[in-house]
Amino acid sequence: MRVWAVANQKGGVGKTTTTIALAGLLADAGKRVVVVDLDPHGSMTSYFGHDPDALEHSCFDLFLHQGNVPQGLPQELLLPTSHERIALLPSSTALATLERQSPGQNGLGLVIAKSLTQLWQDFDFALIDSPPLLGVLMVNALAASQQLAIPVQTEFLAVKGLERMVSTLAMINRSRKQALPYSIVPTLFDRRTQASLSTLRALRNAYPEQLWPAYIPVDTRLRDASRAGQTPSQFDAKSRGVIAYQALLKHLLARLPASQVA
């Protein structure tokens, strides 16, 4: 199984849409995918028709065992989605309390990595949607992952958020055996606006090695897919947004180490 995280310390940049779009395209290609919602807001859980305020069990349950994960628990928590090849490890609002509970507990940073180990033979890919906050949940997402996508909205303030995310990644990498490879993904690009054009130029100048050379455009069909509870490629496989995400997926797959290529 390959594990990817989608993260940024700024909200509203397209993390959930990116996670679901990539998962949908992988599933369309016949891959078995588990998506992990680590955001207490539960946007991805809601996207697939589950209420994070009403769920009795969620990813929160994984953190209740002193850093250990009982055998079989991750499988028990899986919920269905609109795509038969995508399963969901859902979020709940209880995750928001985790930061207050975590001080003094050892091993909480590896809970998701341990949980995914139990799902290793059941899925080809795991995609993690992480919260826009540096804490135990984002640390879990980054610690479990083999590759990271950082969506960045193409507007001025987003560049500052990216700087914080890159600093966080440098800190995380100091505790990893291997540095986590990452790709910066420009999102919500509108070629009609000066803000989008100038921000894209700034990203290309500042991060020439890490920046995916294309971008995800503003596309109302992505919002329509969310309203329908379908992956973007299920909803409209020929939309501009889906075509862009196909190019992004090809880029991410090309960056896989040889040992991870199926």
Side-chain angles (χ1 to χ4, degrees):
M1 181 165 69
R2 275 83 83 190
V3 185
W4 297 351
V6 180
N8 194 329
Q9 285 176 243
K10 187 178 186 304
V13 298
K15 293 192 305 295
T16 299
T17 298
T18 296
T19 306
I20 295 171
L22 292 172
L25 290 168
L26 286 166
D28 293 344
K31 303 299 184 182
R32 302 163 300 164
V33 185
V34 58
V35 289
V36 184
D37 190 354
L38 289 186
D39 191 337
H41 290 109
S43 296
M44 185 159 64
T45 300
S46 298
Y47 189 114
F48 286 122
H50 303 285
D51 183 355
D53 294 321
L55 288 175
E56 289 188 24
H57 300 285
S58 71
C59 283
F60 181 68
D61 296 38
L62 300 170
F63 292 88
L64 300 179
H65 307 279
Q66 303 298 315
N68 298 309
V69 180
Q71 191 64 36
L73 181 58
Q75 289 88 342
E76 293 174 10
L77 297 175
L78 293 174
L79 293 177
T81 70
S82 61
H83 201 298
E84 63 180 4
R85 292 193 186 93
I86 301 176
L88 169 70
L89 267 175
S91 173
S92 69
T93 50
L95 280 172
T97 69
L98 197 57
E99 299 299 333
R100 295 196 300 272
Q101 298 178 23
S102 60
Q105 291 195 50
N106 295 323
L108 286 191
L110 297 175
V111 166
I112 295 302
K114 293 175 181 177
S115 300
L116 292 178
T117 298
Q118 294 192 30
L119 300 174
W120 211 259
Q121 301 304 318
D122 300 327
F123 296 96
D124 301 301
F125 282 85
L127 272 63
I128 305 172
D129 187 14
S130 67
L133 175 71
L134 176 57
V136 68
L137 292 169
M138 183 180 284
V139 167
N140 264 269
L142 300 181
S145 297
Q146 300 156 338
Q147 187 167 197
L148 171 66
I150 308 176
V152 180
Q153 184 179 358
T154 47
E155 54 94 18
F156 297 121
L157 293 177
V159 177
K160 280 293 179 186
L162 175 60
E163 291 173 0
R164 288 194 297 272
M165 187 66 220
V166 171
S167 296
T168 294
L169 191 55
M171 179 186 69
I172 294 291
N173 278 340
R174 286 196 287 270
S175 64
R176 290 175 59 104
K177 293 179 181 178
Q178 288 184 313
L180 180 62
Y182 67 96
S183 296
I184 298 167
V185 181
T187 61
L188 299 165
F189 180 80
D190 187 346
R191 64 172 59 253
R192 299 169 297 180
T193 69
Q194 186 58 40
S196 276
L197 292 168
S198 59
T199 302
L200 188 60
R201 281 197 298 270
L203 289 171
R204 286 172 173 165
N205 289 333
Y207 302 96
E209 299 297 323
Q210 295 83 17
L211 187 72
W212 175 48
Y215 53 79
I216 305 297
V218 170
D219 185 355
T220 59
R221 300 300 278 170
L222 295 174
R223 187 171 63 243
D224 294 341
S226 172
R227 193 177 298 117
Q230 295 181 307
T231 69
S233 54
Q234 280 180 308
F235 186 79
D236 185 351
K238 296 183 180 180
S239 67
R240 291 185 303 131
V242 169
I243 291 170
Y245 275 116
Q246 287 172 333
L248 174 60
L249 178 60
K250 185 176 180 180
H251 169 81
L252 294 173
L253 289 171
R255 289 171 61 89
L256 285 174
S259 62
Q260 294 179 31
V261 176

